[in-house]
């Protein structure tokens, strides 16, 4: 079945297709009748949906459902008046990349590239530590996003972020031979690894919320603690371990962004800049994709500015 993008929905038309559940709950109307109030969507947008059935349990957030109903307008916004609703199954063969944003490269290929970078490390201590923490992360890396909303908030986004930074890090290490290549590579691979415990993400790569651990501790502090515990257990060189921990602690650059210490040596400085550049370019590209050539984007709160898309750009 061809999936019609939410961005193409038109008032007073019928819809029969698959959508991602952003949220769903049973509510009571003023007359006492109960109904399902849902926010459904795909990678192009989202829409409110109502199903007047008090007996049907709300589908879980992050699941995919088949929806049949009428698209109409309510209070100036499009809404689906749902007639039939069911969970999607494997036989439906729903193309996930139509519902959620996905990394532009195969997650398996990206993970293989990361593992190859680990295998190429000359420092056996750093190689063993990085490999262990990568193994601890497991297969969730194949779908885990790098954020809830902003940069690399996509299926496989964490790997996408890491792989892009790894490629840039190799150029920096070639240009500046004084850099410790192995330390920089380890920092790139591990800097956001603790986001796996910080975000509550589904296998579709969507994030419902931050975890309790993510709210109380966060990926920077948790990442440092995991590196320290694993490194001491493995007998890693104390100074190397301390430098890697500092890189994770300082990779956001300033206290306002969550780092209690600024980068204090070159590898930490490079890691911080690689992280910032990759995050900003991703956000800029995403914003400009919604703008016609010769126009300006909406003001991006993360960058505190509007962006211009040059004329003649495809």
């Amino acid at each position: 079945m061809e999936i019609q993008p939410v961005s193409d929905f038109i008032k007073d038309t019928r819809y029969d297709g698959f959508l991602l559940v952003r949220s769903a709950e049973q509510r009571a109307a003023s007359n006492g009748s109960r109904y399902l109030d849902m926010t459904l969507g795909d990678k192009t947008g989202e829409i409110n949906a109502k199903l007047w059935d008090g007996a049907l349990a709300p589908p879980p957030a992050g699941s995919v459902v088949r929806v049949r109903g009428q698209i109409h307008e309510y209070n100036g916004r499009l809404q689906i008046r749902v007639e039939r609703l069911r969970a999607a199954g494997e036989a439906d063969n729903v193309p996930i990349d139509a519902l959620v944003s996905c990394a532009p490269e195969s997650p398996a290929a990206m993970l293989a590239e990361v593992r190859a970078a680990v295998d190429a490390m000359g420092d056996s201590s750093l190689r063993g530590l990085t490999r262990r923490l990568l193994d601890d992360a497991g297969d969730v890396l194949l779908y885990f996003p790098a954020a809830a909303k902003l940069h690399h908030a996509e299926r496989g986004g964490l790997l996408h972020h890491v792989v892009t930074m790894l490629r840039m890090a190799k150029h920096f290490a070639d240009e500046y031979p004084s850099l410790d290549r192995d330390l920089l590579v380890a920092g790139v691979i591990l800097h956001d690894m603790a986001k796996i415990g910080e975000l509550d993400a589904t296998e579709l790569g969507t994030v419902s919320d931050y975890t309790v651990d993510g709210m109380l501790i966060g990926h920077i502090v948790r990442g440092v603690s995991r590196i320290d515990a694993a490194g001491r257990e493995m007998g890693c060189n104390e100074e190397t371990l301390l430098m890697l921990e500092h890189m994770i602690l300082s990779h956001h650059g300033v206290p306002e962004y969550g780092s209690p210490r600024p980068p204090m040596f070159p590898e930490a400085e490079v890691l911080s800049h690689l992280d910032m550049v990759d995050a900003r370019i991703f956000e800029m590209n995403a914003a400009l994709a919604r703008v016609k050539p010769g126009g300006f984007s909406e003001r991006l709160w993360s960058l505190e500015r509007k962006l211009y898309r040059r004329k003649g750009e495809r």
Side-chain angles (χ1 to χ4, degrees), residues 110 113-115 117-118 161-171 184-186 188-189 274:
M110 290 191 293
E113 185 171 339
V114 173
R115 290 196 176 278
V118 175
H161 182 44
V162 168
V163 164
T164 305
M165 288 178 62
L166 269 180
R167 293 168 183 169
M168 290 191 291
K170 292 176 181 178
H171 290 294
L184 181 58
V185 167
V188 167
I189 294 172
L274 290 177

Side-chain angles (χ1 to χ4, degrees), residues 141-278:
L141 278 170
L142 295 172
Y143 65 80
F144 216 85
K149 290 184 178 179
L150 297 176
H151 76 90
H152 300 85
E154 58 186 2
R155 191 172 194 271
L158 183 54
L159 276 176
H160 183 196
H161 182 44
V162 168
V163 164
T164 305
M165 288 178 62
L166 269 180
R167 293 168 183 169
M168 290 191 291
K170 292 176 181 178
H171 290 294
F172 270 78
D174 288 341
E175 188 66 29
Y176 301 101
S178 60
L179 291 173
D180 184 325
R181 183 185 295 263
D182 288 346
L183 186 61
L184 181 58
V185 167
V188 167
I189 294 172
L190 300 177
H191 80 285
D192 273 349
M193 198 64 69
K195 282 190 173 182
I196 291 174
E198 181 178 61
L199 303 172
D200 187 3
T202 69
E203 290 191 21
L204 292 177
T206 60
V207 176
S208 58
D209 205 346
Y210 282 82
T211 64
V212 174
D213 191 82
M215 290 293 291
L216 296 179
I217 306 298
H219 76 280
I220 290 180
V221 174
R222 185 61 71 196
V224 170
S225 67
R226 288 177 181 171
I227 289 171
D228 188 72
R232 292 185 183 280
E233 181 182 321
M234 296 175 67
C236 292
N237 176 274
E238 187 169 338
E239 184 180 55
T240 301
L241 187 59
L242 190 62
M243 293 181 76
L244 181 58
E245 291 172 14
H246 173 78
M247 291 172 70
I248 307 306
L249 193 71
S250 65
H251 81 268
H252 280 187
V254 292
E256 298 94 293
Y257 297 152
S259 282
R261 292 287 187 273
M264 293 183 179
F265 50 84
E267 291 80 5
E269 182 75 7
V270 171
L271 175 64
S272 179
H273 282 285
L274 290 177
D275 184 48
M276 179 184 66
V277 167
D278 190 44

Side-chain angles (χ1 to χ4, degrees), residues 21 23-27 35-38 55-61 63 85:
V21 179
S23 64
E25 61 179 323
Q26 280 279 3
R27 291 189 172 182
Y35 65 96
L36 270 184
D37 184 24
M38 301 173 287
L56 191 64
S63 63
L85 179 78

